[in-house]
């Protein structure tokens, strides 16, 4: 594998547009079809009813969260401010969205109507009142993060008799989406590398989720195109600019700090999962580049040494102040820091695809059972992911790991492929990843299994041979 440095390419000053291709036509997508499909929801319900591990622990984490209670009362605002303006009330939005999502998820698992009713009441209250998101540049973060989250909560109750689907679609299309579209096209009138990858990724997540929720194929195609080829730092080759011979790939934001790198991995995984559930394989795009980047961040976050290629990015406003900033090494980490991002990624690569991903698997086991908003502190960073991956994304190994995603359309350029071949585990290390058996150890730990038979490990090794 050749090293490919993309930092220089990320320093361009062009802008991108999300205008849909002339041939794009609106057509319905699979619903539910954002982070969770009908199959996913049915699996969760059946596993929890049977008391299966680790689903039961994941569901217990959900029911213990104060946001997942049917007595939650919405606090809608006409204008939400983040970063500047008054009042700084964006916490009301993210708390309510997480309450809607958690109640909706709890309903699908338990069948208790009160939780669906609560989720609907919260979402209807906001779609009936919110008209604007304002503030500093942080308004783009608010639109991206809370837009994709609102769409996911709403997707879970879109068939409820009292849910105002049309009004929810209008809110996403008229309030959240324009800010995310604008950011990807103009980057707040800054040079294209002024903003770290997370800014782009929040916007891509919002555009993609809104496109699916509103059955707008043009927006979906625009989001997918930006993920692959966007000029900002959030497109996959700019966020993950260097691929090493050992199968790991540098996450550029590791040169910033751990929290933002974890956020980026969670956001990119969210984009990949939503696309996958509509038949678009971004997980496997560019020889599974995301897997290699996620493995790198997982290894680094677990306290292991990783290489980092110095990255210099241009900063400033177009036609105004300009400068540059260089990140020369991976930042220090706290191995105890965790975010609910790993279960989704680990289960995709090891269970759907049958690929080794030992560092990601170990990070997932360490974080299990994953919680959600409200379990990771009261500030906004604790609400950046919807979470509950142990419950939502744990799955059995697929019978056919070469199968294409379903049920939606496959990406038209074919660049993603449907079976990534490259392992993102190291080829030589004291880690069990060298044989692929590290996945067994990681998943065993996550499931509470204290011993693994040697025969099972041997079968795993044989399965990886050749």
């Amino acid at each position: 594998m050749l090293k490919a440095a993309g930092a220089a390419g990320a320093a361009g000053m062009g802008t991108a547009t999300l205008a849909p291709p002339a041939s794009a036509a609106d057509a319905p997508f699979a619903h539910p079809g954002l982070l969770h499909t009908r199959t996913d929801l049915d699996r969760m319900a059946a596993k929890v009813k049977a008391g299966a591990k680790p689903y039961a622990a994941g569901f217990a984490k959900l029911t213990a969260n104060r946001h997942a209670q049917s007595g939650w009362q919405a606090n809608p605002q006409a204008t939400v401010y983040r970063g500047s303006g008054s009042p700084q009330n964006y916490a009301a939005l993210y708390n309510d969205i997480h309450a809607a999502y958690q109640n909706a998820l709890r309903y699908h698992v338990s069948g208790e109507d009160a939780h669906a009713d609560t989720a609907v009441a919260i979402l209807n209250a906001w779609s009936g009142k919110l008209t604007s998101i304002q503030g500093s540049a942080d308004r783009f973060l608010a639109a991206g993060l809370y837009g994709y989250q609102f769409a996911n909560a709403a997707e879970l109750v879109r068939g409820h008799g009292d849910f105002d689907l049309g009004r929810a679609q209008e809110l996403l299309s008229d309030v959240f989406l324009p800010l995310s579209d604008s950011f990807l096209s103009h980057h707040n009138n800054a040079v294209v590398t002024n903003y770290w990858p997370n800014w782009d990724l929040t916007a891509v997540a919002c555009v993609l989720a809104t496109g699916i929720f509103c059955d707008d194929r043009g927006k979906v195609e625009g989001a997918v195109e930006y993920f692959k080829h966007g000029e900002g730092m959030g497109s996959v080759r700019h966020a993950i600019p260097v691929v090493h011979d050992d199968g790991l790939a540098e996450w550029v934001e590791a040169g910033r700090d751990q929290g933002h790198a974890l956020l980026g991995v969670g956001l990119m995984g969210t984009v990949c999962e939503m696309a996958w559930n509509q038949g678009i394989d971004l997980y496997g795009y560019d020889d599974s580049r995301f897997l290699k980047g996620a493995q790198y961040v997982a290894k680094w976050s677990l306290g292991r040494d990783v290489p980092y290629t110095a990255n210099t990015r241009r900063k400033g406003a177009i036609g105004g102040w300009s400068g540059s900033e260089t990140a020369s090494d991976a930042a220090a980490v706290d191995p105890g820091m965790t975010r609910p991002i790993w279960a989704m990624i680990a289960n995709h690569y090891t269970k759907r695809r049958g690929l080794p991903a030992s560092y990601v698997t170990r990070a997932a086991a360490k974080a299990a059972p994953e919680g959600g908003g409200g379990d990771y502190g009261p500030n906004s960073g604790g609400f950046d992911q919807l979470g509950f991956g142990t419950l939502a994304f744990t799955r059995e190994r697929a019978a056919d790991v070469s199968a294409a995603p379903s049920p939606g359309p496959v990406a038209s350029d074919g660049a993603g492929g449907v079976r990534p071949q490259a392992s993102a585990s190291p080829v030589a290390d004291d880690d069990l990843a060298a044989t692929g058996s590290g996945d067994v150890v990681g998943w065993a730990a996550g499931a509470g299994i204290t011993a693994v038979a040697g025969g099972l490990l041997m079968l795993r090794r044989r399965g990886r041979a050749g």
Side-chain angles (χ1 to χ4, degrees), residues 40-63:
D40 294 332
L41 297 168
D42 290 345
R43 179 185 65 247
M44 293 179 228
K47 293 292 188 180
V48 169
K49 183 178 181 180
K53 295 180 179 180
Y55 302 90
F59 186 61
K61 193 78 172 178
L62 172 63
T63 59

Side-chain angles (χ1 to χ4, degrees), residues 15 54 56 79 110 118 121 124 149 166 179 209 254 269 290 306 308 318 346 348 367 371 375 380 382 386-387 393 422:
T15 57
T79 302
S110 71
T118 297
N124 282 348
Q149 292 173 358
L179 284 168
F290 174 54
V306 292
Y308 189 86
I318 296 174
H348 173 80
D375 290 321
S380 61
L386 290 168
F393 302 111

Side-chain angles (χ1 to χ4, degrees), residues 148-315:
Y148 96 76
Q149 292 173 358
F150 186 97
N152 270 276
E155 182 79 348
L156 292 178
V157 295
R158 68 183 294 139
H160 192 286
D162 294 331
F163 178 58
D164 196 328
L165 174 61
R167 203 167 68 191
Q169 290 174 324
E170 289 177 4
L171 176 63
L172 284 163
S173 297
D174 297 345
V175 177
F176 292 102
L177 179 66
L179 284 168
S180 291
D181 256 343
S182 174
F183 187 82
L184 294 176
S185 296
H186 306 295
H187 290 89
N188 198 28
N189 296 317
V191 295
V192 74
T193 55
N194 184 75
Y195 293 97
W196 287 99
N198 291 335
W199 292 77
D200 273 357
L201 288 169
T202 63
V204 170
C206 178
V207 174
L208 179 62
T210 299
I212 294 169
F213 185 76
C214 297
D215 292 317
D216 186 334
R217 189 167 303 279
K219 290 301 178 188
V220 171
E221 291 182 356
V224 169
E225 174 63 18
Y226 196 95
F227 176 95
K228 294 178 178 179
H229 306 299
E231 295 183 12
M233 293 189 72
S235 60
V236 67
R237 286 194 168 216
H238 292 155
I240 311 171
V242 180
V243 177
H244 292 282
D245 294 342
D246 65 359
L248 300 186
E250 294 177 23
W251 193 272
V252 68
E253 210 148 354
R256 183 185 184 189
D257 61 59
Q258 183 184 9
H260 285 97
L262 293 173
L263 169 60
V265 172
L267 287 168
M268 190 171 285
T270 294
V271 169
C272 290
E273 184 70 15
M274 292 190 297
W276 176 273
N277 286 333
Q278 297 298 333
I280 304 166
D281 187 8
L282 299 182
Y283 277 119
Y285 178 72
D286 196 18
D287 200 23
S288 298
R289 196 180 192 94
F290 174 54
L291 170 58
K292 298 165 190 174
Q295 280 276 83
Y296 174 97
V297 173
K299 180 181 180 181
W300 168 64
S301 291
L302 290 168
R304 304 287 292 273
D305 290 334
V306 292
Y308 189 86
T309 303
N311 180 281
T312 299
R313 63 191 185 94
R314 295 188 60 190
K315 300 172 62 179

